[in-house]
Amino acid sequence: MAKCEQCIVKQLNSLKTLTKSELLRISACKTSQFVKKGDVIFDEGEHLNGVFCISSGICKVSKMSSNGREQIIHLVNKGSILGERSLVNDEVANLKATAISDMEVCFIPREEIISDLKKNPDFTMSLLKDMASSLKNADNTIVDMAQKTVKQRLAEMLLNLEASFGYNSDHVLDIHLSREDIANIIGTATESAIRLLSEFKKDNVITLKGKNISIIDIPKLKKIAQGF
Amino acid sequence: MAKCEQCIVKQLNSLKTLTKSELLRISACKTSQFVKKGDVIFDEGEHLNGVFCISSGICKVSKMSSNGREQIIHLVNKGSILGERSLVNDEVANLKATAISDMEVCFIPREEIISDLKKNPDFTMSLLKDMASSLKNADNTIVDMAQKTVKQRLAEMLLNLEASFGYNSDHVLDIHLSREDIANIIGTATESAIRLLSEFKKDNVITLKGKNISIIDIPKLKKIAQGF
DNA sequence: TTAAAAATATGATAATTATCAGTTTTTGAG
DNA sequence: CTCAAAAACTGATAATTATCATATTTTTAA
């Protein structure tokens, strides 16, 4: 099994503040698993008992609305940690995590991380900064959801995908989302998302081949996102 | 000037984990000010250099969207602290705080709180829990904004006002919001908010006299909030 | 390989929400 | 108290978005 000291996850977030001996201890007790596309990593209401490190793959983090529709809160790439929040306040999960590609995920039991929280102030502080940053993003998302049109939100989402996941060798966005997932990110009906994507394609803002999306006119997309 | 040890703010949040001597130190260096209804406490982009404790009154925390409309992210009652996030990550304010009633606010300089963050792990942990809780609320708000109709959101907002601010002696909600503020909380046009409030009144869900709102049929309001 | 299922796409229409225009009511400064 | 400004309200209409129906394409599993 891979060691935490070399893991990509360790380089990209709060875990980077852990000492070598702390990492060794965690490495010894972690479990690793492969998750297939579509599989649920954890669901709303579950007791997590630890955090998940994403070594490879992408998952969506979502929540059911009382209307019975899924809202995707964010997409999580390799190198990230899931479940920190449930760890901190010891509540059941408020969100659901589902693989949207095949993934490799490590699980670190609650007690191990908690012990670091208590002993390593740098780690706590780093976690605090991560949360502050997440909170800022969440506030900005609230503003967008409340004030922007579906078209603006779609444009913005495409720009975010580019920033977070980049392109593969063919200048195709390195993430494959179903039209339904796209709709559930921007909070609209699947048909509306499809229509707007077609419109963007017709207007030469993007190209579309199935789930392969390329952005070809970033300035235009930015203008659309701001309401022009 | 009032002392921090007896302040209501101290009893309701992370500050409660501070020791007596820490509170005394803060008490000595804090400044206190009266803020009139409508006054801005801080604006987006400002460097805060400290946190604000609300001894009395209510303020709104909002952000301008690129469409030029204000979105109110939350309402903050006495006993709360503002600006913790800018403190943690040392960034300029992402949000604007405006008094919606006359207020009394204390300001604690950044260095004083930072010193507690570094020395008192209970305080850091408490702040972490607060942030985790805020983040959960923010995620739920995103779902509501993205998936619920304006009518559902208005119903939910009224229920939230009741939970957060309660009633005065005449069974009137203990917060006075303009119709524009109500619209900016639920993310709609002022006229739409007015129309829906009138509809709720006609349907005997609430009573309305100017800014005095009473909820008279909570079960019905809950049903509306869930889409029935 | 092929049939069934799922996903994508498109049209027609309904429902929701925003915008504009104008009126009435309330508020607050002098 | 008075009057001008702001806020609240109402109607008409336009724009956006959802829903339903159905066709086409893609994917999946046997």
Side-chain angles (χ1 to χ4, degrees), chain A residues 24-36:
Chain A
L24 279 171
R25 179 170 46 77
I26 282 176
S27 195
C29 68
K30 74 165 196 295
T31 56
S32 193
Q33 58 177 313
F34 289 93
V35 180
K36 288 195 81 64

Side-chain angles (χ1 to χ4, degrees), chain A residues 69 149-151 187-189 191-192 195:
Chain A
R69 285 219 300 227
T149 64
V150 174
K151 190 194 277 196
T188 190
E191 297 95 319
S192 300
R195 263 182 255 274

Side-chain angles (χ1 to χ4, degrees), chain B residues 159-174:
Chain B
L159 292 166
N160 287 340
L161 289 185
E162 189 195 38
S164 301
F165 301 95
Y167 293 114
N168 69 16
S169 53
D170 296 322
H171 194 75
V172 167
L173 282 178
D174 219 358

